[in-house]
Amino acid sequence: MASQDIFSIQKNLADSLAEAIQSYGVSDVPVTIERPKDKSHGDFACPIAMHLAKKLKKQPLMIAQEIVQNLKVDQKMVEQVAVAPPGFINIKLRHQAFHQTLEQVLKTDGDYGKNDQGKEIRLLLEFVSANPTGPLNIVSARAAALGDSIAKLLTASGAQVTKEYYVNDAGVQARLFGESLIAACDRLKGGTAQAPEGGYQGAYMDDLAKDFVKISPAPDPGQWGMDQVIEWQKKSLERYEVRFDNWYSEKKNLHDKGLVTATVEKLKKANLTYEKDGAVWIKVSEFGAPKDEVLVKSDGYPAYFAADIAYHIEKYERGFNQIVDIWGPDHHGHIIRMKAALQAAGYQVERFSVIIAQQVNLLEAGEKVKMSKREGKFVTMDELLDQVGKDAARFFFVMRSANSHLDFDIEVAKKQTEENPVFYIQYAHARIFSLLRKCAEKELTPAKTASDFGLLQEPEPLLLLKELMEYPQWVLESGKALEPHRLVVYLQTLAADFHVFYSKHRILDAPPDVARARLALALGVKTVLRNGLGLLGVSVPDQM
RNA sequence: GCGCCUGUAGCUCAGUUGGAUAGAGCGACAGAUUCCGAAUCUGUAGGUCAGAGGUUCGAGCCCUCUCAGGCGCACCA
């Protein structure tokens, strides 16, 4: 019998159920397969009878019984189909199905979990996109961890994902940055020049100035400074193991190509704009925004919003069918404007979504660390990495949902103890590695085929097998939902259930056949822990 | 004033998009090691899911209102 993954098992069940309810002649009720929370209810559950009850004006329990009578399922995979009040259809798989899963895990190894369920997705994921005017801070660190994990998850499900960093290197920004740099140079020579209003201050500007004065002839300060800062940012991200496919320059890709003015003209022609007080406004309020916005300022220069609209239209024009941005909490008010503008311009807004990576409160010894951008006093991503390391940082940032206001406790992240959730999972992996080494010394090798796994019959190993089976689905679902924290929850559960298994069942001194089967299970868990943490950008040490 | 996010155990948070008896970690308390890693495991205590209505077979999840905290609401980017 060909081995089946969780997707095909569920699809077969759904198809069978759909066939069984065909005689009712109800077509608009989708068949859903759920995983019941309570294990005693079986491996899958279907609430279809409850949904049908109202339409058919019959008791859900009776409908469920009728469905089960008409249901034809694969007897080799399914052990039992039962009806439970108020009308659930519960399905229990044969142990054999799980034993096949383990064979699959061991065979595919590093590829286990990869699937093609998301192959129709062509996603442009824009994140971090911090202004090239200073080092990356911890909000950027959160966005970077989140975005990179989402990209990895969806890629594992067969999607094409492009990771993009939008560089705001045009206009006012560049000018202010250049003037700030000149001021810093003056201070370096003993002068008293201050950064202009809205400019940039802080120790890093002085560092830049020191390098800038050495260059002769002097380049354009704004452009040179921003290039330097971008290099810093790339270096920080490299430490973090986050790499972008595109660094999309606002200046080069939009302004220099005339796309911003072209977009404005296009919107004008579509009668979506009007003039007031010498400025050009876009009528986004007609498309759901609270008020209209300025596209071209009265000084003739396009507003930031105009460039942003041009940029997002470009995302559509490049052929992506899903467009996702990760923004900071201070930009949430921008979402509705952007959506309104895109809708006005005739693009499918449903394909565009924004994740708000909420603020991060850094805690040190239980106290909030105060940060002020104006005074150049904020915790940088590099400082965070120096303190807690890449693994803990990335894990902490993806372990909670993006829209929770995150408390990041540096003390806990630094601790190499049970208080730190990163180590719990890593420890399970290291434990298994150590076990495998011990077994190798005894020339005990893991079993390889499903028929050898028949000895895994106790509740603990069966639970682990089931979780291994579900892994690809967690990969898919947390990717599609753009919520890596779901996978974290899964991995914590898997690690916990392994520890339970490990403390209950001996491996080395079990009879050889049993030992080899249990060893194979441990190896399977290790594989999934490694693959799963890998999708979060967290490494798995063999020893700790 | 308007809008967005948040409110679940002492603390930090999950809750599989509306399913069955609301979960985990930390902290507290009580236990487990002549034995594969105790960075582990077992058990106990801890809840009016902010509050009030509503929708339906069924609500922590959806709708309305109220309260509390955070953040936005520029011809800034």
Side-chain angles (χ1 to χ4, degrees):
Chain A
M1 169 177 38
S3 131
Q4 296 186 16
D5 64 17
I6 183 140
F7 301 113
S8 57
I9 293 174
Q10 287 197 7
K11 189 176 183 306
N12 290 344
L13 287 173
D15 288 349
S16 304
L17 282 158
E19 211 177 303
I21 63 166
Q22 223 169 26
S23 59
Y24 294 121
V26 181
S27 56
D28 57 338
V29 181
V31 177
T32 53
I33 304 285
E34 297 169 349
R35 295 186 301 250
K37 274 183 246 171
D38 188 337
K39 288 165 230 150
S40 66
H41 292 132
D43 300 306
F44 301 106
C46 179
I48 188 78
M50 268 104 72
H51 297 294
L52 289 170
K54 199 173 186 185
K55 288 201 158 126
L56 302 176
K57 296 197 171 84
K58 272 162 96 169
Q59 293 288 333
L61 211 53
M62 276 184 59
I63 299 173
Q65 276 158 0
E66 284 173 16
I67 292 173
V68 171
Q69 273 172 20
N70 295 327
L71 190 63
K72 293 189 191 75
V73 292
D74 184 353
Q75 298 289 332
K76 288 177 193 153
M77 298 298 283
V78 176
E79 181 179 309
Q80 192 189 42
V81 181
V83 172
F88 287 102
I89 298 170
N90 291 331
I91 296 149
K92 193 167 160 41
L93 294 182
R94 289 190 187 282
H95 292 173
Q96 199 186 347
F98 300 117
H99 296 145
Q100 282 173 16
T101 297
L102 181 53
E103 185 178 324
Q104 198 66 29
V105 176
L106 300 183
K107 215 182 267 172
T108 50
D109 192 32
D111 287 334
Y112 183 68
K114 288 187 186 168
N115 64 85
D116 64 355
Q117 301 288 312
K119 66 182 172 208
E120 75 288 350
I121 298 173
R122 290 191 313 283
L123 168 70
L124 181 68
L125 183 61
E126 183 216 324
F127 58 108
V128 183
S129 300
N131 290 338
T133 53
L136 296 175
N137 61 21
I138 51 169
V139 176
S140 294
R142 183 176 195 182
L146 190 63
D148 192 54
S149 292
I150 290 170
K152 283 189 157 84
L153 285 166
L154 281 171
T155 302
S157 291
Q160 291 172 38
V161 183
T162 299
K163 292 176 281 182
E164 189 156 284
Y165 191 120
Y166 183 52
V167 185
N168 299 127
D169 54 0
V172 184
Q173 191 103 260
R175 183 174 54 78
L176 280 176
F177 194 68
E179 288 170 16
S180 302
L181 183 55
I182 297 295
C185 289
D186 180 69
R187 289 199 299 276
L188 192 65
K189 291 169 188 158
T192 56
Q194 288 295 308
E197 182 75 25
Y200 305 93
Q201 219 79 254
Y204 70 93
M205 287 307 292
D206 301 329
D207 292 341
L208 269 186
K210 278 177 204 157
D211 288 336
F212 184 71
V213 293
K214 289 180 200 154
I215 306 171
S216 157
D220 174 73
Q223 193 58 52
W224 178 87
M226 285 188 165
D227 286 345
Q228 287 301 113
V229 171
I230 290 167
E231 284 313 306
W232 291 353
Q233 294 180 345
K234 281 185 181 169
K235 230 176 257 174
S236 303
L237 288 164
E238 188 58 38
R239 285 181 71 190
Y240 210 46
E241 291 180 15
V242 172
R243 298 175 191 97
F244 285 87
D245 301 307
N246 289 336
W247 288 72
Y248 195 92
S249 160
E250 177 187 355
K251 182 173 183 295
K252 287 177 200 147
N253 292 296
L254 298 176
H255 293 279
D256 290 359
K257 287 183 183 170
L259 275 175
V260 180
T261 43
T263 301
V264 171
E265 287 311 311
K266 209 176 119 188
L267 294 169
K268 272 185 187 170
K269 254 183 213 154
N271 196 28
L272 293 164
T273 65
Y274 60 88
E275 292 201 18
K276 194 181 88 181
D277 304 333
V280 179
W281 298 69
I282 180 169
K283 302 181 206 169
V284 279
S285 67
E286 290 177 18
F287 296 87
K291 60 185 186 65
D292 291 337
E293 299 290 333
V294 169
L295 268 189
V296 183
K297 296 181 277 184
S298 54
D299 62 8
Y301 287 101
Y304 171 83
F305 191 41
D308 219 14
I309 294 172
Y311 175 42
H312 282 82
I313 286 177
E314 265 308 285
K315 292 181 178 183
Y316 281 89
E317 296 297 335
R318 282 188 273 163
F320 295 98
N321 60 14
Q322 195 181 349
I323 294 160
V324 174
D325 293 1
I326 302 179
W327 292 350
D330 49 337
H331 284 77
H332 70 254
H334 199 58
I335 298 173
I336 194 157
R337 292 201 288 276
M338 194 66 235
K339 286 193 171 170
L342 288 172
Q343 198 183 346
Y347 292 89
Q348 291 177 281
V349 221
E350 323 78 64
R351 297 186 179 280
F352 170 64
S353 60
V354 179
I355 302 169
I356 295 296
Q358 283 293 346
Q359 67 183 80
V360 180
N361 294 321
L362 223 42
L363 301 182
E364 215 159 6
E367 294 283 320
K368 269 191 194 178
V369 180
K370 288 206 180 112
M371 281 175 277
S372 158
K373 203 160 190 175
R374 195 177 304 159
E375 298 162 36
K377 235 173 64 184
F378 50 88
V379 176
T380 65
M381 185 161 136
D382 280 330
E383 286 162 356
L384 182 73
L385 285 172
D386 292 341
Q387 295 252 356
V388 308
K390 187 256 306 176
D391 284 340
R394 291 197 59 162
F395 188 90
F396 269 66
F397 282 130
V398 293
M399 96 181 166
R400 305 301 186 203
S401 77
N403 50 18
S404 74
H405 301 212
L406 185 73
D407 281 350
F408 193 118
D409 194 323
I410 296 185
E411 297 304 314
V412 171
K414 265 156 76 174
K415 268 188 198 163
Q416 313 254 322
T417 70
E418 72 275 6
E419 273 180 76
N420 190 335
V422 190
F423 289 101
Y424 185 81
I425 301 176
Q426 289 183 330
Y427 178 64
H429 182 270
R431 220 179 190 188
I432 297 170
F433 182 84
S434 158
L435 177 67
L436 285 163
R437 198 177 39 200
K438 281 240 159 62
C439 288
E441 283 165 15
K442 287 188 154 195
E443 297 188 355
L444 197 64
T445 55
K448 284 199 170 70
T449 60
S451 54
D452 299 324
F453 305 144
L455 295 163
L456 300 172
Q457 295 287 354
E458 304 93 339
E460 294 81 13
L462 282 171
L463 177 62
L464 285 173
L465 288 169
K466 187 178 167 184
E467 285 169 359
L468 295 184
M469 178 188 265
E470 287 174 351
Y471 171 69
Q473 197 167 38
W474 284 92
V475 172
L476 176 68
E477 281 174 3
S478 44
K480 271 184 141 172
L482 311 170
E483 292 182 345
H485 77 271
R486 295 192 193 191
L487 190 68
V488 175
V489 173
Y490 166 84
L491 291 171
Q492 282 174 329
T493 309
L494 181 65
D497 289 332
F498 175 76
H499 286 308
V500 173
F501 162 75
Y502 182 89
S503 62
K504 250 190 176 156
H505 300 284
R506 305 284 306 168
I507 295 166
L508 274 175
D509 21 325
D513 285 355
V514 178
R516 295 182 62 233
R518 287 178 182 166
L519 198 55
L521 176 60
L523 182 58
V525 172
K526 177 176 174 291
T527 301
V528 169
L529 290 177
R530 174 164 45 84
N531 294 355
L533 284 180
L535 294 176
L536 305 174
V538 177
S539 66
V540 273
D542 293 331
Q543 291 175 53
M544 301 174 65

